[in-house]
């Protein structure tokens, strides 16, 4: 009889990482906190909210359904179709979240549009503190990067405003390619954009949908949720990609 140790199969070799795919929301950046979101949107409408009223409105709006927030407690029947299509079409994304915000009566005009506008502005988001260093290190190491996001609007202007565009080689956005994570096709599209085999690609995200990349042949790293403005554990990617953090 062979020795037990000899009968064990050798451990699989780790595939070298030649490219990295990043989710956007919850991985590289997070939406601003709900009270700041509501306060800034009200100010854009010429209304100054005290902290108490802003907090009550924020709680109600998050429950109703905030872009970048948890799923709505309930989607009204008249919004069901556009909400289901929110990450496939720009018009559906806008209609869904304007409609959900309209279910909360703030008592003044233009509030729903101002809330949605915050989503399109760089100051409506907060980068994680390790985002820049991670992207810079990968760029310096020659590791190509794509951002793969289920999203219904163009996030490129945000990266341009944050001066991060030079560190991203491709954007694969669900509303542009007609596929949403965890569909393997969206990850395959990203690998093709970077001209790298899926087997040598790492997908980094924060949800099971991001882990769907394994069905496309990629490796996956799913990070735990982090609060806005904190480190998100992204530097773990540098060890996997053999990239050094910038000095």
């Amino acid at each position: 009889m062979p020795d037990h140790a000899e009968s064990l199969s050798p451990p699989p070799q780790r595939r070298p990482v030649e490219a990295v795919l990043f989710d956007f929301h919850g991985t590289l950046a997070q939406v601003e906190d709900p009270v700041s979101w509501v306060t800034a949107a009200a100010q854009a409408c010429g209304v100054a909210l005290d902290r108490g009223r802003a907090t009550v409105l924020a709680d109600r709006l998050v429950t109703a359904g905030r872009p970048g927030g948890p799923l709505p407690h309930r989607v009204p029947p008249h919004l069901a179709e556009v909400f289901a299509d929110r990450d496939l079409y720009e018009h559906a994304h806008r209609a869904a979240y304007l409609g959900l915000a309209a279910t909360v009566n703030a008592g003044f005009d233009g509030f729903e549009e101002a809330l949605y506008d915050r989503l399109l502005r760089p100051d409506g988001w907060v980068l994680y503190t390790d985002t820049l260093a991670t992207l810079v290190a990968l760029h310096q190491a020659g590791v190509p990067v794509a951002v793969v996001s289920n999203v219904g609007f163009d996030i490129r202007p945000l990266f341009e405003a944050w001066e991060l565009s030079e560190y991203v080689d491709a954007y694969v956005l669900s509303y542009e390619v007609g596929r949403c994570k965890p569909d393997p096709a969206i990850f395959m599209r990203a690998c093709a954009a970077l001209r790298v085999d899926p087997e040598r690609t790492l997908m980094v995200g924060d949800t099971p949908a991001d882990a769907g990349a394994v069905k496309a042949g990629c490796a996956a790293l799913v990070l735990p949720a982090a609060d806005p403005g904190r480190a998100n554990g992204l530097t773990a990617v540098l060890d996997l990609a053999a990239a050094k953090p910038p000095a």
Side-chain angles (χ1 to χ4, degrees):
M1 295 293 291
D3 182 78
H4 177 67
E6 293 178 354
S7 68
L8 294 177
S9 299
Q13 296 295 311
R14 192 179 77 181
R15 298 168 294 184
V17 173
E18 296 182 357
V20 180
L21 314 179
F22 286 102
D23 172 50
F24 172 53
H25 170 246
T27 302
L28 297 176
Q30 181 63 271
V31 286
E32 62 189 329
D33 76 82
V35 174
S36 298
W37 172 55
V38 166
T39 301
Q43 288 176 343
C45 299
V47 176
L49 297 178
D50 61 54
R51 179 80 181 182
R53 186 181 177 196
T55 300
V56 170
L57 275 176
D59 288 345
R60 293 175 62 193
L61 286 162
V62 169
T63 300
R66 174 195 183 183
L71 290 174
H73 181 69
R74 173 183 176 274
V75 177
H78 71 283
L79 296 176
E81 184 174 357
V82 289
F83 187 79
D85 289 343
R86 67 194 183 282
D87 290 331
L88 291 173
Y89 306 102
E90 284 185 281
H91 73 271
H93 193 275
R94 183 177 183 86
Y97 286 109
L98 288 179
L100 291 170
T103 64
V104 177
N105 182 15
F108 52 91
D109 295 332
F111 189 48
E112 297 87 358
E113 290 80 3
L115 288 169
Y116 192 83
D117 183 61
R118 295 294 300 173
L119 190 69
L120 311 179
R121 297 170 54 93
D123 55 349
W125 294 83
V126 182
L127 288 171
Y128 291 111
T129 57
D130 44 0
T131 295
L132 174 60
T134 301
L135 293 177
V136 168
L138 292 171
H139 180 74
Q140 291 178 346
V143 178
V145 164
V147 176
V148 184
S149 179
N150 286 355
V151 68
F153 63 94
D154 190 3
I155 61 176
R156 294 176 185 87
L158 301 178
F159 282 79
E160 291 170 3
W162 296 327
E163 299 183 350
L164 295 179
S165 294
E166 65 179 297
Y167 309 121
V168 179
D169 300 282
Y171 297 86
V172 182
L173 311 181
S174 60
Y175 84 99
E176 292 182 336
V177 302
R179 292 283 192 270
C180 290
K181 298 177 290 185
D183 187 332
I186 193 170
F187 304 109
M188 297 289 285
R189 181 73 67 91
C191 293
L194 297 181
R195 299 184 179 182
V196 65
D197 291 336
E199 291 77 13
R200 298 183 181 274
T201 302
L202 174 67
M203 175 67 205
V204 183
D206 68 313
T207 69
D210 299 308
V214 299
K215 292 185 178 180
C218 303
L221 173 64
V222 178
L223 301 170
D227 292 331
R230 295 182 178 274
N232 199 24
L234 288 168
T235 53
V237 176
L238 303 184
D239 292 332
L240 298 172
K244 296 180 180 179

